[in-house]
Amino acid sequence: MKLLRVDMDQLLVKWEPVPALYERLGGRALIARLLLEEVPATCDALGPHNKLIIAPGLLGGWSVSAAGRLSVGGKSPLTGGVKEANAGGTAGDALGRLDIKAVVGEGQPARNSWHILYIHEDTAELLPAGDVQGLGTYATSDRLQERFGPDSSVISIGQAGEGLMCGAGVCVTGEGNQRSNHAARGGLGAVMGSKGLKAIVIDKPQAKPLPLADEQLFRSAARTYAQKLINDPKLGRSGSQHLYGTASIVAAVNEIGSLPTRNFSAGSFEASPQLRGTVLREVTLARGGEAGTRCMHGCVIACRNVYADEEGKAIVGTLQYETISLVGSNLGLDNLDAVARLNYMCNDFGLDTIETGAALGVAVEAGLAKFGDLDSLLALLEQVGQGTALGRVIGNGVVTAGRVLGVRRVPACLGQAMPGYDPRSLKGNGVTYATSPQGADHTAGNAFGARNEVNPLGVQGQKELSLKLQIIAAMLDSTGLCLFARPPIIADPQLMVDMLNGIYGWGWTKEEFDRFNRDVLRTELEFNRRAGITAADYRIPEYMREEPLPPHNVVFDVPDADLDAVFETL
Ligand code: SF4
């Protein structure tokens, strides 16, 4: 395998063999180690010393179902610490097939110098961005696929990333004409913008058989894993994940009182029935949209959808739970059409819908728009694309919005907005938000699926649960496996060990693999420690510890001592 280093200062590309230290790493694990080794932890996240790292997981390129996710990483301008965000789509698989361990963007060009990195088989070159500079992610992807071919994968940023706004994510094209796969969190779109990289285009690799260390071991484990996905009652063809996508959980999150509602002032929303996955499917199919689509080739779950307007014209694909909660119930919007319009605009500007939905919630509390009033919210969001001062406030995320607009109720940990689970009534997630080196991020350890194991409203057992989930998340993010495809691996980790040993011949045991996953967290925590981040920086905001959240009227009351002890047994 090889590394592709892209020097944005000298505008040079360089292939190099993978250093021994990085050989057995992929995705999030590689990002954590590379940051620790090569990036000064206290550097300016938008300056020349930070690096933009784009890496497939260890399973990338091997046609394992739902395992082609692409990790994007760097020091986060939002949290000031380590960040990895990942996206579905075709780019992770393409890089894996090309034997590319990672693309590493380094240095910084002169201001307003914009480039595209074009990768074709064993060659790479930087090209002037030309007429795609200034465009949203939809038009950027369209133009680049017209130019380089419809099968190429495009990784791009929109106006938010170009404007170095800290709510900016990185957009990745998916199977067919899909556009909206986003490595959304942590402001990595701004890091990409700071490198003057508007897009990376990867030509579809020739289908070349890559050597496997133990073909039989790999194929047998991959087949068993895929069959277990197909047979899983939630993930298979009659399962809720396939039929309704992530929106299938709207009712249950509302039920436990954790659905962000009107800037996290309540945990249930009276109009939540209109936002459910069943409604999403019904409306989608009635209008000629699509349900049960895939973001990447070979995923047997196929959880996605293409949501269409009343004329049957696609608005956005896919509408996801986190977006429905943060730009839906959190803004008091009672219908999916409104959510889809805001979602489209966020996608086009290249904004994280979680960060932006939270920032808009704070803006409403400041009196700049009204809950439930789509027009006033659209008018605010439009300003991000226009780059006005107020638009830049929203585009820089919820903490900036709170500070500038004088709002104290800011749902964030470590500078990053909370996703769609209020930590007061899903305390396991609160522990994750308040301890994860990734900041408030449900994908770092989501306790929602474990709500029947540990009482979400209680304190007991939360720190142990969060640690367990954080280790699993590190495994998923380092192998490139989709979060939704985790059940067979959690039930039988040997399947993952066999797939990796079958590909690479490392002879890992389950215990060694567990150590590998724990090391990801250790490395990230060390980077954050070097960056000067302390326990107090991770904490749940004071108001959530003091103001009861309806309908259960609970506060976040997991003691600091428990939070401080989460990693004691790591
Ligand atoms: S489950 Fe959904 S998000 Fe995950 S890989 Fe499959 S289609 Fe993509």
Side-chain angles (χ1 to χ4, degrees):
M1 296 197 87
K2 55 214 180 213
L3 276 188
L4 175 57
R5 299 230 184 227
V6 186
D7 179 342
M8 295 306 301
D9 185 20
Q10 300 296 318
L11 300 178
L12 293 172
V13 296
K14 189 173 98 187
W15 296 98
E16 68 175 42
V18 178
L21 192 59
Y22 302 157
E23 245 169 34
R24 295 191 175 193
L25 305 175
R28 179 172 163 188
L30 177 63
I31 286 165
R33 175 53 61 184
L34 200 146
L35 282 177
L36 195 68
E37 297 295 325
E38 300 186 14
V39 172
T42 53
C43 75
D44 175 358
L46 300 179
H49 305 298
N50 196 7
K51 298 196 179 187
L52 175 78
I53 306 153
I54 306 225
L58 288 171
L59 293 176
W62 298 97
S63 302
V64 175
S65 185
R69 289 185 76 83
L70 179 78
S71 286
V72 180
K75 174 173 171 167
S76 164
L78 270 183
T79 70
V82 66
K83 193 68 209 168
E84 183 269 353
N86 56 69
T90 52
D93 185 63
L95 287 177
R97 277 173 196 270
L98 290 170
D99 239 9
I100 298 175
K101 184 70 117 175
V103 177
V104 185
E106 306 177 333
Q108 198 152 54
R111 211 171 146 76
N112 281 328
S113 158
W114 291 98
H115 287 83
I116 293 161
L117 174 67
Y118 174 53
I119 302 173
H120 171 74
E121 297 292 334
D122 292 335
T123 65
E125 58 184 317
L126 281 166
L127 306 169
D131 63 359
V132 297
Q133 195 243 314
L135 297 182
T137 65
Y138 288 100
T140 298
S141 304
D142 286 348
R143 283 205 195 167
L144 293 176
Q145 285 192 330
E146 270 163 33
R147 181 170 162 197
F148 294 100
D151 290 336
S152 57
S153 302
V154 179
I155 303 166
S156 68
I157 55 172
Q159 295 91 341
E162 286 191 35
L164 307 190
M165 296 184 213
C166 296
V170 174
C171 177
V172 183
T173 54
E175 198 179 51
N177 58 1
Q178 261 193 54
R179 293 288 176 263
S180 45
N181 307 282
H182 289 260
R185 309 244 50 210
L188 293 168
V191 176
M192 187 158 160
S194 76
K195 303 294 175 205
L197 261 182
K198 174 66 180 173
I200 299 172
V201 180
I202 309 161
D203 261 359
K204 187 173 182 185
Q206 304 288 325
K208 59 178 178 186
L210 295 165
L212 286 156
D214 184 337
E215 186 163 350
Q216 206 196 337
L217 181 67
F218 169 73
R219 297 223 182 280
S220 153
R223 242 193 325 267
T224 307
Y225 156 72
Q227 197 54 52
K228 288 191 175 196
L229 284 181
I230 292 167
N231 295 345
D232 188 289
K234 275 198 189 140
L235 306 175
R237 287 290 138 150
S238 50
S240 55
Q241 197 78 33
H242 170 67
L243 295 174
Y244 311 117
T246 55
S248 61
I249 66 172
V250 169
V253 183
N254 190 64
E255 185 74 16
I256 64 167
S258 197
L259 184 70
T261 301
R262 298 185 182 90
N263 190 28
F264 284 74
S265 64
S268 69
F269 182 42
E270 66 283 358
S272 68
Q274 283 111 264
L275 302 177
R276 287 182 183 176
T278 45
V279 176
L280 173 56
R281 183 177 174 85
E282 204 180 285
V283 172
T284 296
L285 295 178
R287 290 177 175 176
E290 294 175 65
T293 57
R294 303 179 297 204
C295 72
M296 63 179 76
H297 182 69
C299 172
V300 297
I301 303 171
C303 75
R304 299 170 62 105
N305 55 72
V306 179
Y307 189 82
D309 65 16
E310 282 173 351
E311 275 76 53
K313 187 168 168 282
I315 308 177
V316 75
T318 180
L319 254 187
Q320 301 254 27
Y321 168 73
E322 301 300 330
T323 300
I324 291 171
S325 56
L326 265 297
V327 305
S329 54
N330 190 51
L331 301 179
L333 291 168
D334 63 3
N335 66 87
L336 292 170
D337 286 352
V339 176
R341 300 259 321 265
L342 288 165
N343 191 173
Y344 174 86
M345 208 182 269
C346 285
N347 286 351
D348 198 33
F349 297 155
L351 285 168
D352 174 12
T353 54
I354 295 175
E355 197 64 49
T356 310
L360 287 170
V362 159
V364 173
E365 191 161 323
L368 297 181
K370 287 196 189 116
F371 286 127
D373 176 10
L374 178 64
D375 289 343
S376 65
L377 292 161
L378 283 171
L380 262 187
L381 187 53
E382 261 161 16
Q383 296 199 41
V384 180
Q386 293 157 357
T388 67
L390 181 55
R392 292 189 56 80
V393 169
I394 303 292
N396 270 288
V398 71
V399 169
T400 297
R403 283 204 187 116
V404 174
L405 303 175
V407 174
R408 202 187 133 244
R409 289 181 185 78
V410 174
C413 285
L414 200 60
Q416 184 174 251
M418 288 179 186
Y421 315 84
D422 195 301
R424 286 168 281 191
S425 45
L426 187 60
K427 292 186 183 157
N429 274 27
V431 175
T432 298
Y433 301 166
T435 60
S436 165
Q438 300 284 336
D441 189 335
H442 64 296
T443 67
N446 191 349
F448 178 73
R451 64 195 182 286
N452 297 327
E453 273 171 55
V454 176
N455 174 10
L457 297 172
V459 167
Q460 204 66 29
Q462 302 294 4
K463 73 174 170 18
E464 294 80 7
L465 176 65
S466 174
L467 176 60
K468 183 177 97 175
L469 295 168
Q470 290 196 50
I471 295 167
I472 291 170
M475 178 270 289
L476 296 169
D477 299 342
S478 302
T479 55
L481 199 68
C482 177
L483 183 69
F484 312 131
R486 69 195 182 284
I489 302 297
I490 292 172
D492 182 6
Q494 189 64 44
L495 278 178
M496 177 61 84
V497 174
D498 285 349
M499 283 194 276
L500 294 174
N501 285 339
I503 296 168
Y504 299 107
W506 292 334
W508 271 355
T509 61
K510 261 196 305 194
E511 292 68 32
E512 284 168 321
F513 184 52
D514 180 57
R515 220 167 22 245
F516 164 87
N517 297 321
R518 290 169 185 263
D519 273 348
V520 177
L521 290 165
R522 285 193 198 105
T523 310
E524 292 178 343
L525 288 164
E526 176 57 16
F527 182 87
N528 283 9
R529 188 192 67 75
R530 291 186 194 176
I533 296 171
T534 66
D537 298 316
Y538 288 101
R539 295 283 191 255
I540 297 289
E542 188 181 279
Y543 80 97
M544 288 188 168
R545 293 167 163 264
E546 294 173 353
E547 293 180 15
L549 179 76
H552 298 304
N553 296 320
V554 279
V555 297
F556 183 76
D557 54 358
V558 178
D560 286 355
D562 279 18
L563 301 177
D564 292 340
V566 164
F567 295 118
E568 264 176 4
T569 56
L570 184 63

